Amino acid sequence: MPALVMEGVRKVYRSGSEEVVALDHADLVVGDDEMVTLLGPSGSGKTTLLSIAGGLLTPTEGRVVVGDQVVSDLDPRQLTAFRQRQVGFVFQSVNLVPFLTARENLTVVGELAGRPRRETGEQADRLLEELGLSHRAGNLATELSGGERQRVAIGRALMNDPKLVLVDEPTSALDTKMGEAVMELLRNEITGRGIAAVVVTHDTRMTHYTDRTVEIVDGRLQA
Amino acid sequence: MSLAWRELVRRPGRFAVAGSALTLLVVLLLLLGGLLDGLYLGSTGAIRAQRADVFVYSATARDSIVRSRIEPDLRARIEEVDGVASTGGLGVALLGATVEGDDDVLDVAVTGYELAPEGVPEPPAPGTAYADDRLRADGVRAGDVLEVGPARVPVEVVDFVSDTSYLQQGALWVEPDTWRAIQSESRPDAAVADGVFQVVLVVAEDGVEAGELADRIDEATGGATSSLTRDEAVLSLPGIRQQNSVFTALIGVTLFVAGLVAALFFALVTLERTALYATLKALGAPSGRLALGVVFQSVVVALGAVVLGGAVTFALEQVIPDAVPVQVEPSRVVTSSVLVLVTAAVGALVSLRRIVRIDPATAIS
Ligand SMILES: Nc1ncnc2c1ncn2[C@@H]1O[C@H](COP(=O)(O)OP(=O)(O)OP(=O)(O)O)[C@@H](O)[C@H]1O
Ligand SMILES: [Mg+2]
């Protein structure tokens, strides 16, 4: 079963009398262990596509399926539960909780889902270890470097054992070397675990970390 | 919830302004309450202590004890009313008094009585009195002779009783003739003849309702009397109703301001947290959970304010001069605290709508 299926997805933003078609006739299938790069210029609809796939936005038209869940049919309340259990996000602006430590930024996801403390604690420790952050576990988010924060954000996205991880411009705020290290880590965390990923970027140098690249221009996916 | 708690612990400074404002309001609330209780208790003790069910005034007195007069024949008619078990006369004279050989004038309420009130023994020998604790606080000791009123009538204090002041003056409980003598010597214009009292206290027979008996007495005297239940008699003391309503209004306004402080502060905090809440919602946090965190923080801040405000009030109470009748009762502290906590919770709930409207999609863009 594919991790993500999008069929004929269209998204129109309305602001006042103006209409912006951010996404049009988008068809995309991502396999259950596949890592896909979504490449496109600024304003092409990359973030919009990611938001719709992750249940943050509802499409104007079309069908979105994640695992066995038809996301496009869910109401806001069900979407909240869906995000809590099925997808992991890595945001472009990272958005860690500033007054929590690196470790707590991971465990908070488990707490929100009402999982047992011990279980989330162990999982957080394991992820921090894999991400090479064990020695920074007790530092507040504000005390971490940009690369460290990005790695914590990756760990946070994996905390709920998602089927699908959605990553928005993970390297844009980092220098090339750090960016490559983060992509490498992401790749290692995701492959072989039955997790699919869509990684948005406009940096062509990052595409070789993923299995496949899909291009998007003016809201349309190019085969 | 642990998210809300950790923010409180790690960034206490953020909540300091709201905490201080609430602390001041708690102090204000407790002092207002203490003043209300002090005024009320200090004004009404002698009446609250009475065991009688009905207070009978002369109709012309407009429910004022000192203006009222009940002659013996009127009292006899009262005693014949169905449902009256027993009666006792009461008379009060508000006067100044000095301890023999001392110049300080103390305010006393010379109270002649027949029925022993709660905590006061049967009437003492002529020329002697049970004094209220308020006079002990003024330096009066058992065995002291007080010279009462302009005529300096001597009254010896034999013992003390508590919580029996009358209009902020300490009662001197005396037998009726001692009261009459003092009243007539000090206020010749308002002298009272033998057997006359200001009000007659009526004990109802078992099972007879006080309000009903009061009506029956006024009917039986053909409108010559105006009878009140004890609670009504307490409220009819000069200024009591006005005090109660003024202070209740002030306390209400203070609580409202406390709610406003909590509401405004946490509305501002919520505004500041828009990005954080959007992120948490994107990660699957329901709005209700986030709002609960805000309410939790508001209640914790209010709890801190209650504890701190309580301590400040306690310290202030020690330095406030005795002349100011502030009396902070434990029950008042408890109700005020609960009201502040509830107000803080309700104030914080105002932010719920804003939290619900935060769009999780903004976390990603
Ligand atoms: N909330 C919105 N309201 C109106 N228009 C929007 C909104 N969000 C995005 N758009 C428009 O939709 C189009 C696609 O935006 P989107 O954010 O998906 O692009 P992007 O590919 O992620 O760009 P970037 O690389 O700059 O992040 C753009 O023209 C944008 O201006
Ligand atoms: Mg974008």
Side-chain angles (χ1 to χ4, degrees):
Chain A
M1 191 193 301
L4 170 67
V5 177
M6 297 178 93
E7 288 169 356
V9 172
R10 180 179 160 88
K11 179 68 185 178
V12 181
Y13 289 110
R14 285 196 181 79
S15 51
S17 56
E18 230 179 301
E19 285 195 354
V20 179
V21 181
L23 208 59
D24 205 8
H25 302 296
D27 296 301
L28 180 66
V29 177
V30 180
D32 66 359
D33 197 11
E34 197 180 16
M35 196 169 170
V36 174
T37 297
L38 186 62
L39 183 71
S42 181
S44 57
K46 306 184 294 292
T47 300
T48 301
L49 185 143
L50 220 54
S51 303
I52 289 173
L56 281 175
L57 278 181
T58 41
T60 314
E61 273 171 40
R63 213 167 104 93
V64 180
V65 185
V66 172
D68 51 7
Q69 183 89 260
V70 183
V71 183
S72 40
D73 288 351
L74 302 179
D75 63 29
R77 203 190 191 87
Q78 294 168 320
L79 281 176
T80 300
F82 162 74
R83 290 194 303 269
Q84 197 183 79
R85 303 208 186 92
Q86 312 279 342
V87 289
F89 284 104
V90 180
F91 306 110
Q92 184 170 359
S93 44
V94 186
N95 296 352
L96 297 184
V97 182
F99 52 85
L100 294 185
T101 63
R103 186 174 186 273
E104 287 164 351
N105 264 288
L106 300 201
T107 54
V108 73
V109 177
E111 270 167 36
L112 290 176
R115 284 168 56 193
R117 221 194 170 86
R118 231 183 95 152
E119 188 188 305
T120 53
E122 282 167 6
Q123 192 184 6
D125 289 335
R126 183 177 53 74
L127 281 168
L128 287 171
E129 165 109 51
E130 288 170 10
L131 295 164
L133 284 170
S134 292
H135 63 296
R136 306 291 277 159
N139 285 86
L140 291 180
T142 46
E143 298 164 351
L144 303 176
S145 74
E148 286 170 338
R149 273 182 228 174
Q150 193 60 267
R151 283 185 275 160
V152 173
I154 291 169
R156 180 172 70 180
L158 296 169
M159 272 302 286
N160 54 354
D161 295 318
K163 292 190 178 61
L164 178 66
V165 176
L166 302 165
V167 189
D168 200 2
E169 311 249 9
T171 60
S172 64
L174 305 175
D175 60 42
T176 313
K177 220 175 122 211
M178 191 103 82
E180 283 172 347
V182 164
M183 284 303 287
E184 188 81 48
L185 262 175
L186 195 58
R187 153 119 238 140
N188 292 341
E189 284 298 322
I190 285 170
T191 47
R193 284 195 183 160
I195 303 174
V198 177
V199 182
V200 161
T201 188
H202 56 245
D203 187 348
T204 46
R205 288 170 305 174
M206 297 297 170
T207 56
H208 65 276
Y209 288 98
T210 62
D211 303 317
R212 169 159 77 98
T213 297
V214 175
E215 282 192 63
I216 181 168
V217 178
D218 286 340
R220 283 167 183 273
L221 296 176
Q222 324 276 300
Chain B
M1 205 63 76
S2 65
L3 194 68
W5 173 248
R6 287 195 189 113
E7 186 178 18
L8 277 169
V9 172
R10 293 192 186 147
R11 296 186 157 176
R14 287 197 88 193
F15 304 91
V17 174
S20 323
L22 283 177
T23 301
L24 288 177
L25 288 167
V26 167
V27 171
L28 186 59
L29 208 57
L30 290 179
L31 285 182
L32 283 172
L35 208 52
L36 171 59
D37 290 343
L39 285 171
Y40 176 81
L41 295 172
S43 290
T44 60
I47 303 305
R48 278 183 293 110
Q50 300 296 338
R51 292 183 222 256
D53 303 294
V54 177
F55 286 53
V56 186
Y57 304 71
S58 54
T60 51
R62 282 178 289 129
D63 303 340
S64 155
I65 292 177
V66 293
R67 275 200 297 264
S68 175
R69 293 288 183 278
I70 305 277
E71 308 281 338
D73 58 331
L74 185 53
R75 178 174 179 177
R77 276 159 70 196
I78 295 166
E79 279 168 342
E80 276 162 21
V81 175
D82 208 26
V84 173
S86 60
T87 65
L90 188 77
V92 183
L94 296 174
L95 295 164
T98 52
V99 178
E100 222 173 23
D102 195 344
D103 288 339
D104 285 348
V105 179
L106 310 172
D107 293 325
V108 297
V110 178
T111 311
Y113 69 109
E114 293 182 325
L115 294 176
E118 202 83 43
V120 181
E122 292 298 320
T128 66
Y130 299 112
D132 184 71
D133 270 341
R134 184 181 281 260
L135 296 172
R136 174 150 53 188
D138 287 337
V140 177
R141 295 290 168 263
D144 283 356
V145 174
L146 290 173
E147 294 176 334
V148 180
R152 292 180 168 265
V153 180
V155 174
E156 188 191 341
V157 173
V158 291
D159 205 352
F160 288 94
V161 293
S162 60
D163 193 17
T164 63
S165 10
Y166 183 87
L167 302 180
Q168 309 301 327
Q169 315 214 35
L172 280 179
W173 296 93
V174 299
E175 57 85 33
D177 282 330
T178 305
W179 161 67
R180 279 193 201 98
I182 291 171
Q183 170 84 14
S184 303
E185 296 233 19
S186 316
R187 303 277 313 275
D189 55 313
V192 278
D194 276 358
V196 175
F197 281 98
Q198 287 173 334
V199 296
V200 164
L201 308 186
V202 172
V203 178
E205 280 173 357
D206 279 351
V208 178
E209 203 260 320
E212 215 169 281
L213 183 59
D215 293 342
R216 230 184 283 161
I217 291 169
D218 293 343
E219 207 173 306
T221 59
T225 59
S226 160
S227 304
L228 302 179
T229 64
R230 184 177 44 214
D231 289 346
E232 290 167 348
V234 167
L235 290 176
S236 298
L237 288 169
I240 293 296
R241 274 184 225 270
Q242 294 85 332
Q243 261 170 35
N244 284 354
S245 53
V246 167
F247 276 92
T248 306
L250 287 175
I251 286 170
V253 169
T254 308
L255 269 176
F256 179 76
V257 173
L260 214 60
V261 166
L264 281 176
F265 177 77
F266 282 100
L268 222 76
V269 164
T270 302
L271 204 66
E272 259 178 44
R273 289 176 185 159
T274 305
L276 173 64
Y277 284 161
T279 304
L280 292 172
K281 282 176 128 184
L283 294 176
S287 298
R289 209 181 183 110
L290 299 175
L292 209 64
V294 175
V295 170
F296 173 78
Q297 287 186 334
S298 182
V299 170
V300 171
V301 170
L303 196 67
V306 163
V307 171
L308 218 64
V312 170
T313 309
F314 182 76
L316 280 177
E317 213 190 349
Q318 313 303 309
V319 297
I320 288 175
D322 284 345
V324 183
V326 173
Q327 200 168 331
V328 183
E329 297 283 298
S331 61
R332 171 73 61 182
V333 175
V334 171
T335 48
S336 301
S337 305
V338 170
L339 283 173
V340 168
L341 296 184
V342 171
T343 308
V346 172
L349 263 183
V350 172
S351 296
L352 175 64
R353 219 170 57 110
R354 194 179 291 277
I355 293 174
V356 168
R357 282 187 355 205
I358 291 174
D359 183 357
T362 55
I364 202 168
S365 53

